[in-house]
Amino acid sequence: MLKEVNLNNFKYESNDKMKSALFEANKNSLKKDQLSRASKELEFRFNDLSQYINKADDNNFFLTVTAEVKNNQIIQDSINIMAENIDTMVPIQDLLPKSSEKIEEEGIHDMQQILNSQGEEYSPALYASYDRIAARDYANKWSINATSCYDHGTSCGILQARNTWNNDVYPYYSELCHNDCADFVSQALHAGGIPMDSTVADSTWHRGTAAQTTLAWVNTDALKRYMVGKGYWKASNYTSASAGGVLYTSTSHVVMIVKNDTIIRQFSGHTNDRNQVNYSNISGY
């Protein structure tokens, strides 16, 4: 991204020095609004990435391995490793770090998009009071990597461990097997500071008992309409979406993004219950 704005050898020390260097290197090639957008993005990236540098972290994968066997021996060339990618399976290579050249291409593309965007004030964060790191931490704290359904074993068809959920604050809104992805993401968003509506109505975002829980809190499509309508959300992309953002795989499934260090991207979510699991770039996500 720095290379695209003529800062190939820039070493970050402060936002002020970054802004000054950005202006000096591009004063004859970029307009004022382009410099402003680039500056805000670089400031966000430098601050965001500082939390990952020199810090160990977990990477979790769910794998299916197949191979052909001949004379009771595995045929090495036939081994195929597939990895769970939220709600689909992909080759394991899709979840592993890309080459430095590929990552550089993504950075150039992202900065070009920022420089060429028109008609809107650029902001990496829409809601100033939202603490996306607190939302991330909530999602990681209240999720595990379940391998069965705690209440119903394998008969339920979904993998969740409701005994590890935040049940004291958010009691079950259904005693039956149920998808909890939107409910869980709503909880994390609220932990990050997005205010819950005080009233229970068709147009509100509220959680309580079953009778006190609104559709926008527990339904993926309704949650999206509510958050976009309120101005809390706008569309992002694979390379830009950071921890504390959300990822929709379809209108029926949503998870919380908990890591994006530009090389590894992870999510945590419910139904299936997953904690810090790597995901890749899938068309339609």
Side-chain angles (χ1 to χ4, degrees):
M1 297 183 80
L2 289 168
K3 180 182 287 188
E4 188 62 15
V5 288
N6 303 312
L7 294 178
N8 300 40
N9 300 313
F10 177 75
K11 189 172 183 178
Y12 182 81
E13 296 180 7
S14 69
N15 292 331
D16 288 340
K17 288 186 177 181
M18 182 269 294
K19 291 177 182 177
S20 177
L22 180 67
F23 175 80
E24 189 63 30
N26 298 277
K27 59 185 178 182
N28 296 322
S29 56
L30 296 179
K31 298 177 181 178
K32 183 178 179 180
D33 62 324
Q34 290 178 309
L35 288 169
S36 176
R37 290 196 294 271
S39 174
K40 289 179 180 178
E41 174 65 18
L42 290 174
E43 179 180 341
F44 175 79
R45 290 301 182 104
F46 277 120
N47 291 333
D48 188 46
L49 292 177
S50 64
Q51 67 182 304
Y52 299 116
I53 296 173
N54 293 326
K55 295 179 181 178
D57 204 359
D58 289 332
N59 287 271
N60 295 311
F61 303 87
F62 287 81
L63 307 178
T64 298
V65 183
T66 60
E68 295 179 18
V69 176
K70 186 176 182 179
N71 298 327
N72 293 321
Q73 296 292 320
I74 292 175
I75 301 174
Q76 293 292 320
D77 292 343
S78 72
I79 296 175
N80 183 40
I81 305 176
M82 300 292 287
E84 183 181 286
N85 191 32
I86 307 182
D87 59 2
T88 188
M89 300 295 289
V90 299
I92 182 61
Q93 291 83 355
D94 289 359
L95 297 184
L96 300 178
K98 303 294 188 294
S99 67
S100 57
E101 292 80 10
K102 179 61 177 177
I103 295 171
E104 184 175 299
E105 288 177 13
E106 291 176 347
I108 291 171
H109 176 263
D110 284 351
M111 182 56 77
Q112 288 174 342
Q113 282 193 315
I114 291 164
L115 296 176
N116 295 330
S117 62
Q118 300 289 334
E120 64 175 287
E121 176 66 20
Y122 173 76
S123 174
L126 296 182
Y127 179 54
S129 297
Y130 181 57
D131 184 345
R132 60 190 186 81
I133 301 306
R136 174 204 67 187
D137 290 347
Y138 182 95
N140 285 337
K141 178 179 180 180
W142 295 105
S143 62
I144 71 168
N145 287 310
T147 56
S148 64
C149 182
Y150 168 75
D151 297 285
H152 305 283
T154 58
S155 62
C156 196
I158 58 178
L159 307 178
Q160 56 184 211
R162 297 206 296 189
N163 57 324
T164 67
W165 295 0
N166 191 8
N167 298 309
D168 290 340
V169 178
Y170 299 103
Y172 299 166
Y173 62 87
S174 172
E175 290 300 324
L176 302 175
C177 285
H178 68 279
N179 291 328
D180 192 63
C181 62
D183 175 41
F184 181 68
V185 166
S186 288
Q187 293 176 29
L189 293 169
H190 186 51
I194 292 184
M196 185 189 304
D197 292 318
S198 59
T199 58
V200 178
D202 291 343
S203 61
T204 63
W205 186 63
H206 183 91
R207 176 66 150 86
T209 63
Q212 298 167 332
T213 298
T214 63
L215 189 67
W217 187 281
V218 298
N219 177 273
T220 53
D221 195 34
L223 173 64
K224 181 179 179 180
R225 290 197 305 270
Y226 178 90
M227 291 294 164
V228 171
K230 287 285 187 177
Y232 294 130
W233 290 1
K234 69 175 181 180
S236 185
N237 57 44
Y238 171 72
T239 54
S240 296
S242 299
V246 301
L247 187 157
Y248 271 78
T249 66
S250 63
T251 58
S252 60
H253 193 43
V254 61
V255 296
M256 174 67 62
I257 298 169
V258 295
K259 182 176 182 178
N260 176 1
D261 64 2
T262 74
I263 297 172
I264 295 296
R265 289 151 179 93
Q266 295 179 340
F267 76 96
S268 291
H270 279 185
T271 318
N272 295 325
D273 288 12
R274 293 290 182 254
N275 177 265
Q276 293 178 268
V277 176
N278 291 29
Y279 71 88
S280 69
N281 191 14
I282 296 290
S283 177
Y285 279 12

